[in-house]
Amino acid sequence: MLARLCILFLLCCSLLQGWAYQSVPSLTESTRRSPVFLGCSLMEGFRSNYVYRGWKLGDQVWESQFAFSGALDNDWAFSGEADYLRGFDGNEFGQTIMYGELMYYVGDECTLGISVARNWFDKTVLKSGTENGVHLHWSPTASWYIHTFAVYDYAQDGFYGQAAVTWQPLIFQSTAWVSTIAVGVASKYHGVSGLQDLMVRTGPLFRLGEAFRLQPFVAYYQGLAHGIDNHVSVGAWLTWCF
């Protein structure tokens, strides 16, 4: 894993030296009516610890993601992703996620979606299983993105919902500052009901050439339910969009 970190660091340095900033970065990459990125992306990243819906599952976590989405017609779009997270340096934590969503355009830059996901957990407090959910994605302006969702997790035998707001003002050419705040609520989710967790994440987003993004960040997780701790995490994501 240390070798992978070194390779990622060298790649980031070469990208910063080899590509000039060319255009304004965007988290949503809006195309036509959709607030959803249309295309494919590969992401590699790491974070000092990993908190999932209020529970800290591991330290020093490496993560990989493949995501894709597209438009079916003027009214419908789809998206999907596969995520793999694994602790290193003796940390045995692991999580694999397969996710798919079908979205309907209810207005410009606004979709409603239904999703199905499968989670595989390795040596965590949460159980492996399937969940179904409903989602709202809305980009009222180029700098704001809102995502709310509610899912029923059959393995945890309960509901979990979250409302998240992202603000992304441009600070330099092809550089933005991205800040996200999210609040989660649970109903009998792994035995917890009520307000679950608060997450605040902030950091710069660099667009490197036409295809690459680099996003270092620091995040704070505040447990709102009994028995859930507070955590600070630092990390970085490198994404290739195509």
Side-chain angles (χ1 to χ4, degrees), residues 14-23 173-175 206-212:
S14 63
L15 287 171
L16 286 169
Q17 294 173 359
W19 272 292
Y21 296 136
Q22 296 182 12
S23 58
Q173 183 182 7
S174 291
T175 305
F206 306 103
R207 184 162 185 168
L208 312 173
E210 290 294 329
F212 290 90

Side-chain angles (χ1 to χ4, degrees), residues 155-209:
Q156 319 315 321
D157 196 23
F159 289 93
Y160 179 84
Q162 187 183 86
V165 178
T166 296
W167 181 46
Q168 181 185 293
L170 186 70
I171 55 175
F172 299 109
Q173 183 182 7
S174 291
T175 305
W177 194 271
V178 182
S179 298
T180 299
I181 182 170
V183 178
V185 62
S187 177
K188 299 181 180 179
Y189 187 88
H190 198 67
V192 175
S193 294
L195 287 175
Q196 174 84 340
D197 60 299
L198 169 70
M199 186 277 292
V200 179
R201 184 175 63 238
T202 189
L205 171 64
F206 306 103
R207 184 162 185 168
L208 312 173

Side-chain angles (χ1 to χ4, degrees), residues 118-182:
R118 171 73 184 184
N119 275 286
W120 290 270
F121 294 102
D122 182 17
K123 298 183 179 180
T124 75
V125 297
L126 299 179
K127 302 174 183 178
S128 300
T130 303
E131 64 181 34
N132 294 109
V134 293
H135 300 253
L136 171 67
H137 306 268
W138 182 34
S139 297
T141 71
S143 299
W144 290 92
Y145 171 67
I146 298 169
H147 177 208
T148 63
F149 70 86
V151 300
Y152 183 80
D153 189 321
Y154 297 94
Q156 319 315 321
D157 196 23
F159 289 93
Y160 179 84
Q162 187 183 86
V165 178
T166 296
W167 181 46
Q168 181 185 293
L170 186 70
I171 55 175
F172 299 109
Q173 183 182 7
S174 291
T175 305
W177 194 271
V178 182
S179 298
T180 299
I181 182 170

Side-chain angles (χ1 to χ4, degrees), residues 96-136:
T96 302
I97 306 169
M98 300 295 291
Y99 174 88
E101 183 179 350
L102 178 65
M103 294 163 284
Y104 178 74
Y105 300 126
V106 296
D108 289 342
E109 306 303 332
C110 184
T111 65
L112 282 174
I114 56 173
S115 68
V116 60
R118 171 73 184 184
N119 275 286
W120 290 270
F121 294 102
D122 182 17
K123 298 183 179 180
T124 75
V125 297
L126 299 179
K127 302 174 183 178
S128 300
T130 303
E131 64 181 34
N132 294 109
V134 293
H135 300 253
L136 171 67

